[in-house]
Amino acid sequence: MATIRDVAKLACVSVATVSRVINKTGYVHADTRHKVEAAVKQLNYTPNEVARSLYKRKSRLIGLLLPDITNPYFPQLARGVEDEMQKNDFRIIFGNSDENHRKEQEYIQTFIQNNVVGVISSTNDPNSDTYSKLKIPVVFLDRTSTDSPSVYSDGREGGRIAAREMISRGSKRITVMQGPVHIRPAQDRFQGALEVLEENKISYNVIQTTSFSFAEAELWAKELFDKHLDTDGIIASNDIVATAVLHEAHRLGRRVPDDVQIIGFDDIPLSALLSPSLSTIHQPAYEMGRQAAGLLIKLIQEGFVEHRNIQFPVHFIERDTTRKVEHHG
Amino acid sequence: MATIRDVAKLACVSVATVSRVINKTGYVHADTRHKVEAAVKQLNYTPNEVARSLYKRKSRLIGLLLPDITNPYFPQLARGVEDEMQKNDFRIIFGNSDENHRKEQEYIQTFIQNNVVGVISSTNDPNSDTYSKLKIPVVFLDRTSTDSPSVYSDGREGGRIAAREMISRGSKRITVMQGPVHIRPAQDRFQGALEVLEENKISYNVIQTTSFSFAEAELWAKELFDKHLDTDGIIASNDIVATAVLHEAHRLGRRVPDDVQIIGFDDIPLSALLSPSLSTIHQPAYEMGRQAAGLLIKLIQEGFVEHRNIQFPVHFIERDTTRKVEHHG
DNA sequence: TTGTACGCGTTATCAC
DNA sequence: GTGATAACGCGTACAA
C-alpha cells in the first residue's frame, strides 16, 4: 500500500513528478524518470484507483446488470462483456436483477455511488427514468430501446424461422410456448411465431409460462402434454423449457422427432449435447456481450457512436429434435 | 450528484452535521435532523462511496474471482455469493480467471487498487503469495487451503460414492475420467473413485481430460468409446462431460443404463432434465456460495471466525443413467 | 524540467 | 449540539 508520496520521497522528487511518469503526461527528464521507475518498482507501487476516481470523478468501473446469471443464456453474455472490458482495462461490478424493478434501482444507485463510467443492463423497461436520468452512457443488452444504444438479436424473425421450420417439416398441430409477458425478447419470438402460423393457417395452441426457471420448466412441460397430448410440434420459449419438454416427451413415450418435433431458442451450449440434440434458434450471445461492451467503451471514450443499435441475425440450428426436410426434385 | 456540501447549504447547517445524521453518529437535535433529512430528500442525495472509501481506506466492494462463469457449475456459486453480499450491502467486482495465473494476479491487483474489503476466489494455488501477502480477508471457494478460510465440498468422498454406486449397480469394467490435473477438486474426486475401485479390485481404466469445456467434452467422450468400447460404467469428471458421454453413448447405440451406466458430478440444474436424467454426485453449489460470502463478511466485520473451513457433504442423486440397485432379502 | 498547493467528497477530531 | 478543518491519495494548474 505504498502511496505516491512514498515513491516521491524515495526517488527524491515531488509527487507531481511521480504522477507525470506514472501517467506519461508532461515532460520529465530521462534520469528522473529512471529514478522514479526504480522507486516504483522497489516499493511495488500501484496507484490507488479510489483516489484517482475521486479526483477525476470517474472510475475504470462499469456496472453490469443481468436478470439471473443462473439462467444458462446469461453467462455467455456476461463472458462476452467481461472479456472485452478486461481487454480494455475496465472492471465490472455485477448484479442480478431477478427482473425486479426495486433490485434494479438499488444496483443502478450503487453503481452511480461508485462512480462507474457506464452501465450495461438487460432491463425490462429501458425507457424508465431510472435510465434516462443517468448522466453516464448506458447500453441495453438483449433488450431494445429506441432512444438508447442497444445490442440484441432479431427475436421476431427467430420466432418466424422456428414456425417456418416446424411447418416445412410437417407439424400440423403446433404448440407455441409463450414466455413471460414482461420479458420483451420472449414476446418478440412468440409474436414472430404466431405471425407465420396464422399466415399459413396452421392450427396451434398456446401455453403461457411466467418464468425461465429450471424448476418451473418441468411444470410447463407437464401442463403442455396434459392439455395438448396430440400436439406434434412444440416451439419452446427457450432452450431450458425445450429441454424440459424433451424430457417430458420421453417420459410419456412420445418419440422425438417422429411423433413430435421440438425447437428451442438461444442455443445454449448444452443444447448440442442433449439426446436427441436440440434443434434451436441460435443467438450469438457471447458476441452480443462483446459488442455491447465495445459500444459502451466507445461511448465512454468518444461520447458518441454512429450505430447506436446493433441487431444480430439469428438462425436455425438443425439438430435432431426436428425431422429432415423433404427435398422434392 | 449532489454532495454533502449542497445538502449542508440547503439545510443551513455544516457538513459535519449532515455527516452525523447520514451516519447516525453523534448527537444531533431532532429539529436539525429533520431539516437535514428534508434537504437530503429534496436533493436526492446519496453519499459518494468513492470519497468514503478513500477516507476510510475501505469500500463496500468485494472481489469475486471464478474460473469461468460459462461453466454451468459456477453461476450457482456466483449467485449464492451475490445474494448474500447483496443482502449485506456489499457489491461485487467480478472476474473470470480461466485458471490462468496471470489473469488472476491482474484481477487481485485491481481489486486491491479499488479498496475491496475482501476476496472470494476459486484459485488453483491458494497458497501462492498472491494471496498470503494480501492484507484483507480471503475466502477460497470450491478450493481447499490449509491456512486460509475455505468453503468446499468433500470431493474425495464424492468420488468414493460414485465408485461404490457403480459397483453396487453391477458395472464390471469401469472407466474413470480424470479431470484436469491442476484442478484440485477434479483430482480429489478422481482419487476417491480409484481408492474404492482398487479396494474392491474392480477392473478400470482412465481417460485423462484437460478441461471442462463444452467443445472438448465431446472429444473426450469420443476418445473414451474409441478406446474402451466395452466399458460398462463411466464415472465422469463432471456433469458436462457426463452429458457429452451420454450423448455419444446414444449415438453409438449403447443403451444407458442397461449397457453402460454413467455418473456425473456437480448436479448442475440441467442434469435432471436430460433424457435419461443424469445420476450424479450433488454439490450444494448455491449454498456453498452463500456460506463463503457469509464467512467473508464475518471475517471483514469481526476479524475472525471460529470455523475457518466449511466442508459440505456431497451425496448421490439417483436418476436414470444408473440401474436400480438390487435389494436382497 | 520540476515543485507547490489546491480540490475531488467524506469522515473524524477537535474546539466552541 | 454544532461547526471548522485536517486528513484520505491523487492529478493538475501554476509558479519557479
Side-chain angles (χ1 to χ4, degrees), chain A residues 135-156:
Chain A
K135 289 175 189 59
I136 53 173
V138 179
V139 170
F140 294 108
L141 178 53
D142 194 41
R143 298 295 189 266
T144 325
S145 164
T146 42
D147 40 43
S148 278
S150 13
V151 176
Y152 51 92
S153 71
D154 192 349
R156 191 165 195 113

Side-chain angles (χ1 to χ4, degrees), chain B residues 260-279:
Chain B
V260 54
Q261 304 191 90
I262 302 172
I263 295 182
F265 208 105
D266 287 348
D267 193 25
I268 60 176
L270 265 163
S271 317
L273 295 182
L274 297 179
S275 313
S277 57
L278 183 66
S279 295

Side-chain angles (χ1 to χ4, degrees), chain A residues 303-314:
Chain A
F304 73 96
V305 288
E306 310 89 73
H307 304 293
R308 300 159 53 82
N309 287 55
I310 306 182
Q311 188 188 57
F312 280 82
V314 300

Side-chain angles (χ1 to χ4, degrees), chain B residues 3-271:
Chain B
T3 78
I4 200 172
R5 275 198 164 67
D6 301 326
V7 177
K9 195 175 298 175
L10 184 59
C12 300
V13 295
S14 73
V15 294
T17 304
V18 178
S19 179
R20 280 194 276 266
V21 348
I22 299 291
N23 301 297
K24 307 191 200 316
T25 155
Y27 295 91
V28 41
H29 192 91
D31 293 352
T32 35
R33 179 171 44 247
H34 294 323
K35 269 196 307 185
V36 172
E37 280 163 353
V40 165
K41 189 163 231 169
Q42 185 179 335
L43 293 175
N44 204 351
Y45 167 78
T46 53
N48 181 325
E49 276 299 325
V50 178
R52 268 193 176 161
S53 170
L54 177 60
Y55 180 82
K56 299 191 167 185
R57 294 206 220 70
K58 54 165 82 169
S59 66
R60 299 291 294 179
L61 261 19
I62 72 108
L64 174 62
L65 200 51
L66 258 25
D68 179 10
I69 195 69
T70 266
N71 174 331
Y73 172 65
F74 293 109
Q76 315 225 82
L77 287 180
R79 192 62 215 256
V81 171
E82 204 260 357
D83 283 359
E84 189 67 20
M85 284 299 172
Q86 148 80 8
K87 212 166 54 186
N88 289 274
D89 294 322
F90 287 99
R91 292 297 179 259
I92 295 174
I93 305 187
F94 171 73
N96 295 292
S97 72
D98 287 324
E99 322 264 8
N100 169 337
H101 193 64
R102 207 203 76 258
K103 257 184 129 174
E104 191 175 327
Q105 284 197 302
E106 261 182 49
Y107 265 111
I108 297 291
Q109 166 89 328
T110 55
F111 287 167
I112 299 301
Q113 293 186 2
N114 283 285
N115 274 3
V116 302
V117 279
V119 170
I120 296 181
S121 170
S122 306
T123 180
N124 289 318
D125 47 358
N127 301 316
S128 84
D129 55 332
T130 310
Y131 293 102
S132 56
K133 279 183 181 165
L134 251 39
K135 289 175 189 60
I136 52 173
V138 180
V139 170
F140 293 108
L141 177 53
D142 194 41
R143 297 295 189 266
T144 326
S145 164
T146 42
D147 41 41
S148 277
S150 15
V151 176
Y152 51 94
S153 72
D154 192 348
R156 190 165 196 112
E157 179 62 13
R160 287 193 206 102
I161 295 173
R164 277 191 218 114
E165 296 293 343
M166 267 297 169
I167 295 171
S168 74
R169 284 168 166 74
S171 286
K172 307 286 190 208
R173 297 174 307 280
I174 293 176
T175 302
V176 186
M177 303 186 77
Q178 177 179 14
V181 290
H182 57 291
I183 300 182
R184 177 69 188 280
Q187 291 314 303
D188 286 350
R189 48 188 92 156
F190 176 68
Q191 295 302 340
L194 290 206
E195 206 174 284
V196 168
L197 257 17
E198 302 201 330
E199 251 173 48
N200 289 271
K201 307 202 191 329
I202 301 289
S203 134
Y204 69 86
N205 44 56
V206 172
I207 289 285
Q208 163 80 60
T209 71
T210 58
S211 85
F212 282 140
S213 83
F214 284 94
E216 295 191 298
E218 299 209 61
L219 301 180
W220 315 131
K222 284 189 201 306
E223 179 187 340
L224 188 157
F225 286 110
D226 215 42
K227 289 192 179 161
H228 313 291
L229 187 55
D230 65 334
T231 190
D232 68 351
I234 296 162
I235 298 177
S237 40
N238 74 357
D239 285 353
I240 296 179
V241 176
T243 305
V245 168
L246 177 58
H247 186 247
E248 186 65 11
H250 265 112
R251 212 179 60 82
L252 297 173
R254 306 219 55 193
R255 291 171 312 157
V256 179
D258 300 336
D259 297 343
V260 54
Q261 304 191 90
I262 302 172
I263 295 182
F265 208 105
D266 287 348
D267 193 25
I268 60 176
L270 265 163
S271 317

